[in-house]
Amino acid sequence: MLGTMMEEEQTLVKGGTNLEGSEAKLELTVDEVVEEYVGSLGFSQLVHVLLVSLAWIFDAQSTLVTIFTDAQPPWRCKSGLCQGYNNNSSNTGSVCELVPGTWEWVGGHTSSTIAEWNLVCDRRFLAAVPASVYFLGSLIGSGVYGHLSDTWLGRKRTVQLSCILTSITAFATSLSPNIWSYAFFRFTNGFARSGIGICCLVLTTESVGRKWRGQVGQYGFFFFTVGFLTLPLVAYPTRTHWRSLYKVLSFIPLAYAVLLLPLVSESPRWLLIKGRTKEALQVLDRFARLNGKQKLPSNLSLTDPTGSSNAAPSTSSEGAEITPNNREKLWTTKWAAIRMITVMLAGFGVGFVYYGIQLNVENLNFNLYVSVAINAVMEIPAVVIGTFLLGFTNRRLLLSVSSFIAAVSSILCTFFSHNGGTSKVQNNHGGSWVQLIIEGIGFMGASTTFDILYIYCVELFPTNVRNFAVSMLRQAIMLGASVAPLLVVLGRLSPSLSFLVFGGFAISSGVLSLWLPETRNAPLYETLKQQEEEEKHTWISHNDGALELGK
């Protein structure tokens, strides 16, 4: 009789009431609430992901605008003044041999920074400085924004700040009076935009179930491709005035920050880790209702991810104190520090290859606007293939294989680069189609590696340091990207060497990824301590299972 009464009491508690008729506390993690009450990927999350991912469009435009503004423009001889030289050529060597005043830029001196500030001959390497310092600015900004996003501002407000500063610095760049001020403003623009990509990626992946994290993360890279693809359309009408291109691009992020970003919700995971549990529940409840689900149970509370008894209750307000475990440091946790270093080393190679190939497009023997469009189109199958494979393929395997594809393609390009950088200028539409196809395959591999590495990094670290970890990866990628413009300039003299270097770095990234743990279908942990304990438990269980099979 006593046993029967105990069973009935347990049944009532599980059903949401106790013997006194009051509701029992229902405590779940964010992952459990998303899976059981909100939906892994519903209408509300799709709208949320779409609105956030739009920011990648002008992030791409800001990054790649120098392909047009800092490009080597065509020149022509003035009538009868430099006979014996090829008209409409881009061979700067011939320009250096001519008498000043005997030739002119086809689009006028305002068509690019090279034409306006005469960055040819002994000043040619100055043309690579703005692109390099832009990525250095992104490197520094990634660390700053990562810290702000994890500790103070949150994901949404950090994106908003980054968009506003990107708009201001882009407009300021258009007013540059000389190459040095131009390089400075490119540096500030790189710093400003660095908060967009990392925060958008984390903000989208933290709103969906574990099944869709990889695919949702890829959506952002699709919009980056859209920005890359639309850049020639924006640049062509301003082809004779490079300053106008910066002015046009400066208004897009400002409009986004003012009109669309206020419609986006903050990450419920970040709100929870900061002790703002009530707001986290409100966000989840809004997602659930927009998905056509019922309102979240009134007795529902979120599990304290820190495991601290001092955590703020579900009714805590925005001013709740941060719990002790929220002050965990990535660099003082041994396993996390080793993992972060491995990710950053791989990221350096990925950034070097990915951005280097894009910036090198001006050295192809094709129309610049068409070449950029073709390169952008090549990113589309990379995103589609990556999104498809992430649904059922291990992250580690996919990352390493795509890196090796980029490496093999880059090395194969050396066999078709025997013409070098001097003979190619005689024909704007010549060159090797075989090399172009192979290089395209290599770029697709580099693009796939770039996209997946970001998704992988999101899953490798817990919520309280996730944005910081992604920002550190971004720093490593930007450091690699900052070196790439110098290799692009060197590649004009020795194409084979540049392809070999690209291939070598791609191989190193693929090998380093093999040292990382697999994260497919793993939960998103909230703290370093929780992740360490859970991964250790999973590893022990896996080994015990393997021993049982061995018997």
Side-chain angles (χ1 to χ4, degrees):
M1 181 72 177
L2 181 60
T4 303
M5 292 179 61
M6 292 179 64
E7 290 178 2
E8 291 176 353
E9 179 179 348
Q10 292 175 354
T11 303
L12 289 173
V13 171
K14 290 181 179 179
T17 59
N18 56 23
L19 290 176
E20 285 76 22
S22 60
E23 289 184 324
K25 185 178 181 181
L26 178 61
E27 189 171 326
L28 299 174
T29 64
V30 174
D31 273 328
E32 291 171 336
V33 174
V34 170
E35 298 293 344
E36 297 179 22
Y37 292 96
V38 176
S40 186
L41 181 65
F43 174 77
S44 62
Q45 289 126 308
L46 284 174
V47 173
H48 174 84
V49 169
L50 173 63
L51 291 176
V52 174
S53 298
L54 287 173
W56 285 88
I57 294 178
F58 47 84
D59 184 50
Q61 293 172 340
S62 175
T63 302
L64 303 173
V65 64
T66 52
I67 294 176
F68 298 104
T69 61
D70 300 1
Q72 170 67 57
W75 61 272
R76 64 191 170 201
C77 291
K78 293 183 179 179
S79 179
L81 295 180
C82 50
Q83 295 179 358
Y85 290 92
N86 183 43
N87 286 348
N88 198 32
S89 172
S90 60
N91 189 344
T92 58
S94 297
V95 169
C96 298
E97 297 171 6
L98 296 177
V99 177
T102 61
W103 61 276
E104 62 184 358
W105 301 109
V106 174
H109 73 281
T110 61
S111 59
S112 79
T113 58
I114 291 179
E116 180 164 341
W117 295 316
N118 196 33
L119 303 181
V120 295
C121 303
D122 58 336
R123 291 166 56 87
R124 70 181 63 180
F125 282 98
L126 287 178
V129 172
S132 292
V133 298
Y134 173 86
F135 289 117
L136 288 177
S138 296
L139 184 155
I140 298 172
S142 295
V144 174
Y145 282 118
H147 178 73
L148 290 176
S149 179
D150 279 335
T151 58
W152 184 35
L153 290 180
R155 284 65 162 125
K156 175 183 174 180
R157 286 190 292 179
T158 301
V159 173
Q160 195 162 34
L161 174 65
S162 185
C163 289
I164 294 173
L165 292 179
T166 298
S167 177
I168 294 173
T169 54
F171 189 83
T173 304
S174 70
L175 306 177
S176 303
N178 53 55
I179 181 61
W180 301 113
S181 59
Y182 176 69
F184 170 76
F185 284 124
R186 284 300 291 164
F187 174 86
T188 59
N189 189 239
F191 181 95
R193 54 75 66 170
S194 59
I196 296 175
I198 55 176
C199 295
C200 287
L201 178 63
V202 174
L203 189 55
T204 53
T205 54
E206 288 186 343
S207 66
V208 301
R210 66 183 66 176
K211 177 183 177 182
W212 295 99
R213 286 200 307 261
Q215 292 88 328
V216 162
Q218 287 285 74
Y219 295 159
F221 301 125
F222 173 77
F223 283 97
F224 186 92
T225 303
V226 172
F228 191 10
L229 188 60
T230 56
L231 184 58
L233 301 178
V234 181
Y236 187 76
T238 63
R239 59 192 178 278
T240 58
H241 296 87
W242 67 268
R243 296 176 186 271
S244 298
L245 178 56
Y246 277 108
K247 290 176 181 178
V248 171
L249 296 181
S250 68
F251 290 108
I252 303 176
L254 182 61
Y256 172 81
V258 174
L259 300 177
L260 295 180
L261 201 54
L263 305 176
V264 173
S265 300
E266 181 56 89
S267 166
R269 297 178 186 273
W270 181 82
L271 292 171
L272 175 63
I273 206 69
K274 305 310 290 182
R276 296 159 60 176
T277 315
K278 182 177 180 180
E279 294 174 69
L281 281 171
Q282 289 174 346
V283 172
L284 291 170
D285 184 66
R286 183 161 56 251
F287 281 157
R289 286 186 284 107
L290 289 175
N291 285 346
K293 308 283 186 178
Q294 294 182 349
K295 186 177 180 180
L296 297 182
S298 58
N299 62 329
L300 175 65
S301 65
L302 295 175
T303 303
D304 170 29
T306 66
S308 171
S309 59
N310 296 324
S314 59
T315 57
S316 64
S317 65
E318 189 171 322
E321 294 186 359
I322 301 174
T323 60
N325 274 332
N326 278 333
R327 294 193 293 269
E328 289 180 312
K329 302 296 183 183
L330 185 150
W331 292 119
T332 57
T333 306
K334 184 177 179 180
W335 68 268
I338 294 174
R339 186 176 296 183
M340 189 75 257
I341 291 172
T342 305
V343 170
M344 291 178 68
L345 289 173
F348 178 87
V350 171
F352 184 85
V353 176
Y354 177 73
Y355 285 108
I357 293 176
Q358 291 184 84
L359 295 175
N360 196 50
V361 70
E362 68 171 272
N363 292 325
L364 298 176
N365 297 338
F366 296 91
N367 179 274
L368 179 61
Y369 297 90
V370 176
S371 299
V372 172
I374 291 175
N375 272 266
V377 169
M378 290 176 182
E379 286 212 69
I380 296 177
V383 174
V384 173
I385 292 172
T387 302
F388 174 73
L389 293 178
L390 278 172
F392 59 87
T393 305
N394 289 346
R395 274 67 165 141
R396 181 171 55 190
L397 175 64
L398 189 56
L399 181 63
S400 60
V401 169
S402 57
S403 295
F404 294 143
I405 291 174
V408 171
S409 299
S410 295
I411 293 173
L412 286 177
C413 282
T414 62
F415 297 103
F416 301 94
S417 58
H418 57 275
N419 288 335
T422 57
S423 63
K424 71 181 181 65
V425 298
Q426 301 301 322
N427 188 350
N428 286 337
H429 300 282
S432 171
W433 275 97
V434 177
Q435 185 191 41
L436 184 63
I437 294 172
I438 295 175
E439 186 183 41
I441 294 173
F443 180 66
M444 288 173 57
S447 179
T448 303
T449 306
F450 181 89
D451 298 350
I452 293 171
L453 184 57
Y454 271 111
I455 306 299
Y456 203 5
C457 186
V458 167
E459 299 177 343
L460 283 170
F461 298 94
T463 300
N464 65 336
V465 297
R466 182 172 297 123
N467 225 83
F468 177 74
V470 176
S471 72
M472 294 305 297
L473 169 62
R474 183 67 168 260
Q475 285 182 297
I477 289 175
M478 291 300 105
L479 183 60
S482 67
V483 183
L486 301 177
L487 185 64
V488 171
V489 174
L490 183 62
R492 296 168 186 168
L493 303 175
S494 177
S496 297
L497 176 61
S498 63
F499 285 125
L500 283 174
V501 174
F502 284 142
F505 274 98
I507 290 174
S508 66
S509 297
V511 172
L512 284 168
S513 65
L514 298 176
W515 293 90
L516 297 170
E518 181 53 51
T519 60
R520 179 172 170 254
N521 291 330
L524 286 181
Y525 301 103
E526 310 301 341
T527 66
L528 288 166
K529 182 179 179 181
Q530 178 196 24
Q531 182 161 349
E532 182 178 14
E533 293 174 350
E534 291 294 333
E535 287 186 348
K536 186 183 297 183
H537 175 73
T538 302
W539 184 82
I540 293 174
S541 301
H542 176 76
N543 284 349
D544 289 344
L547 289 173
E548 289 294 330
L549 289 174
K551 293 178 182 179

